[in-house]
Amino acid sequence: MVDELTGDELRHLDRAIDLAAESRARGNHPFGAILVADGVVVEGWNTVLTENDPTGHAETNLVRRASARLSPQQLRSSTLYTSTEPCAMCAGAIYWAGIPRVVFALSETTLAEFTAGSEEPTLALPCREVFARGGRVIEVLGPIANVRAAEVHAGFWG
């Protein structure tokens, strides 16, 4: 699947992982995301802990920022790159924003291995299943192998 991505796309995915590391350094869960539309880049990171907001996931924060900054047409031609597969809530936000393409590094299944036994379990619901229930097609590429995507979670959840 990495072969399907351009060099720019791999750099965007790397930036999402950088944001996940920055989020962790800020005291939040290690998740980051960026949206690219018509050359405009909007970034988002997790704020669940620092803002005491369970909906403050990287992708939902990103959708809020991008929706305030970009037109609906720009959103409908964008790609969202994220360090980890979007959860059901984030997939819903992506769907309602009209974002047609998602690229992620770490799978929800792998994330579940990191969070096993923690107070923060994941939902075992792949984003593809959420998107499949909608009325429009959302292209999903992932998981994309990137060792840094797993490293940012190492030691965080246990």
Side-chain angles (χ1 to χ4, degrees):
M1 212 174 291
V2 173
D3 295 343
E4 298 177 42
L5 299 180
T6 67
D8 282 344
E9 290 178 309
L10 290 171
R11 281 188 287 285
H12 295 321
L13 194 56
D14 278 339
R15 178 62 185 148
I17 296 166
D18 290 343
L19 288 168
E22 291 174 25
S23 178
R24 181 176 177 167
R26 291 182 181 127
N28 284 294
H29 297 157
F31 300 100
I34 72 167
L35 185 117
V36 179
D38 298 330
V40 177
V41 176
V42 182
E43 298 183 337
W45 49 89
N46 188 285
T47 57
V48 167
L49 299 175
T50 57
E51 294 185 11
N52 195 31
D53 178 3
T55 68
H57 291 197
E59 297 90 346
T60 55
N61 288 337
L62 175 63
V63 166
R64 287 183 196 109
R65 282 187 187 98
S67 296
R69 190 168 161 198
L70 303 172
S71 71
Q73 294 79 13
Q74 287 174 302
L75 289 172
R76 286 192 295 269
S77 67
S78 67
T79 298
L80 188 148
Y81 300 87
T82 183
S83 62
T84 305
E85 182 173 0
C87 72
M89 176 183 69
C90 292
I94 291 164
Y95 176 83
W96 290 117
I99 296 166
R101 187 166 183 259
V102 174
V103 179
F104 69 87
L106 193 75
S107 72
E108 185 280 328
T109 304
T110 303
L111 176 63
E113 293 171 10
F114 281 106
T115 63
S118 78
E119 295 180 11
E120 310 252 2
T122 66
L123 287 170
L125 182 58
C127 68
R128 284 178 175 90
E129 290 185 34
V130 176
F131 296 144
R133 304 294 180 152
R136 70 169 104 30
V137 174
I138 297 177
E139 179 185 9
V140 178
L141 295 175
I144 305 297
N146 186 314
V147 70
R148 292 179 52 240
E151 287 174 349
V152 75
H153 290 275
F156 181 84
W157 301 101

